[in-house]
Amino acid sequence: MRLRPPASASPLSALPRTSPPPRARTAPDQTTRALAALPLAALLLLGGCLSMPGPFSNPGRDASALAHNAPPSRLDIPTPTESLLPEAGARQWAWNTATALLGQTIPAMAQPTRPGDWWLSMRAELRDGQVVPIYQVMTPKNQVRATQEGAPVPAALWSGAQEPVLSAAAQDAAPRIASVLTGIQADDMEKDPHSLKHRAARVYFSGVSGAPGDGNTALAQAFAASFRDGADTIQNSAENADFTVTCTVKITDGPAGTTGHPQQHIEIVWRVQDKAGKEAGAATQLHDIAAHSLDGYWGDVAVAAAQEAAGGVRQIIGRYSGRDNAPLPTAGAPAATPAATPAPAPPA
């Protein structure tokens, strides 16, 4: 299974970031009926059919409401005034930080703070010959919500204000800041009794289309049975649903196969949308099968495919809504910090 966000991802949108685990693959069947005893395929969340947001993207009013208390969807980065840099260097640091955060799917902008926006306060402190960048996430009311320190940089290197040095500092800071923002969003959800951290997601399953044989019915029944758990509930109507799941099946003719038997290629896509109709993600199952082997009874094939799909759909909903994210540590507890990025060597 692979999760990969698009180029646009919690507190500003109540949406999580993702990390892609290794992609699993299965070999195609070489016998006529062996498929009935095997899972249909390794479940893949493909980049082409996945629009899973990460920190700070704005999925729209309805998606943000799943977390409630979600701040606006922009992070201002004003030019720091206590940067231990000349004015031009301070502006460059702000610009590099905004660019690095965009790479973390956070819509940050190097600009003065605007009313209603969250913003990032940056400053630098001199400690034992090292400059330590300090980043504070600020609310629209100018309250400090979280603080992160960057990797120390030799003072002589920092004062030179060279772009590679400031860019390296920004690249080091970006994942730290993104991690803090995700924790802020999770903390807000934890305090909100109406968020998906405290209730089951209401899911409308619209059914299956395109499958040969009894596949439409078999897959639908197996998915409904596999999906029911304490975290999510399936309902028969789209009214008040948090998410809608649809499934489409497509079969195309494939190669003759190594033994001369004709094959077909099957693709099953389980698409998840939020209540506003925005795609939250898609789970795609791919496999080669003996030609026309699923023209009649699906049986265990439907069960295996539906069980895989149910797990993938739960993961999409969990990450899209942010309910699986860990809140920020309590006051006084150290925050988890990504590994530091060493500062670049001075130019020759």
Side-chain angles (χ1 to χ4, degrees):
M1 181 180 295
R2 182 174 67 182
L3 294 178
R4 187 174 69 190
S8 63
S10 304
L12 299 193
S13 67
L15 298 177
R17 293 178 61 247
T18 59
S19 299
R23 175 175 174 174
R25 298 184 67 88
T26 55
D29 292 341
Q30 299 299 328
T31 61
T32 302
R33 307 307 302 178
L35 179 63
L38 297 173
L40 186 61
L43 189 63
L44 306 177
L45 294 183
L46 304 178
C49 58
L50 179 65
S51 56
M52 185 177 296
F56 276 66
S57 72
N58 187 357
R61 180 187 60 188
D62 292 321
S64 296
L66 293 175
H68 299 266
N69 303 323
S73 58
R74 179 173 57 201
L75 184 69
D76 298 332
I77 305 181
T79 300
T81 58
E82 301 177 22
S83 63
L84 302 180
L85 292 166
E87 178 68 18
R91 289 196 301 269
Q92 183 69 49
W93 184 26
W95 186 87
N96 284 343
T97 302
T99 301
L101 288 172
L102 287 173
Q104 297 286 321
T105 66
I106 297 172
M109 299 182 68
Q111 64 181 16
T113 57
R114 298 184 180 185
D117 281 0
W118 285 59
W119 60 284
L120 186 68
S121 171
M122 305 196 307
R123 71 179 192 273
E125 290 185 359
L126 184 62
R127 303 177 187 171
D128 300 324
Q130 302 276 319
V131 171
V132 179
I134 300 174
Y135 307 88
Q136 291 181 312
V137 177
M138 309 292 294
T139 72
K141 295 182 179 180
N142 296 330
Q143 298 171 330
V144 177
R145 188 65 191 271
T147 301
Q148 277 283 308
E149 293 188 356
V153 180
L157 201 60
W158 183 264
S159 63
Q162 296 191 22
E163 200 279 337
V165 176
L166 301 178
S167 178
Q171 292 296 330
D172 165 75
R176 303 170 187 264
I177 297 168
S179 177
V180 164
L181 295 174
T182 300
I184 291 173
Q185 175 254 328
D187 188 53
D188 285 344
M189 290 186 72
E190 191 72 38
K191 296 173 182 176
D192 183 356
H194 303 291
S195 78
L196 292 189
K197 274 188 176 291
H198 301 291
R199 68 171 176 86
R202 297 183 292 267
V203 179
Y204 169 56
F205 178 45
S206 64
V208 182
S209 63
D214 70 345
N216 289 347
T217 300
L219 281 170
Q221 291 177 344
F223 179 81
S226 299
F227 190 75
R228 289 190 176 92
D229 59 18
D232 305 293
T233 59
I234 282 189
Q235 58 186 48
N236 297 324
S237 168
E239 185 177 0
N240 296 322
D242 298 310
F243 295 94
T244 296
V245 177
T246 59
C247 175
T248 57
V249 180
K250 182 180 180 180
I251 292 184
T252 56
D253 291 336
T258 57
T259 61
H261 297 293
Q263 292 183 323
Q264 290 179 316
H265 183 75
I266 185 170
E267 178 182 70
I268 307 178
V269 180
W270 306 80
R271 201 170 302 278
V272 184
Q273 294 179 316
D274 67 12
K275 64 171 60 179
K278 179 180 176 64
E279 187 169 295
T284 300
Q285 296 168 303
L286 306 170
H287 211 81
D288 289 330
I289 62 173
H292 306 293
S293 59
L294 292 178
D295 285 358
Y297 179 65
W298 278 55
D300 291 342
V301 174
V303 174
Q307 288 175 344
E308 286 184 327
V313 169
R314 288 191 199 99
Q315 191 173 7
I316 291 171
I317 291 174
R319 293 190 177 184
Y320 185 85
S321 66
R323 69 183 180 190
D324 295 336
N325 293 336
L328 283 175
T330 55
T337 303
T341 301

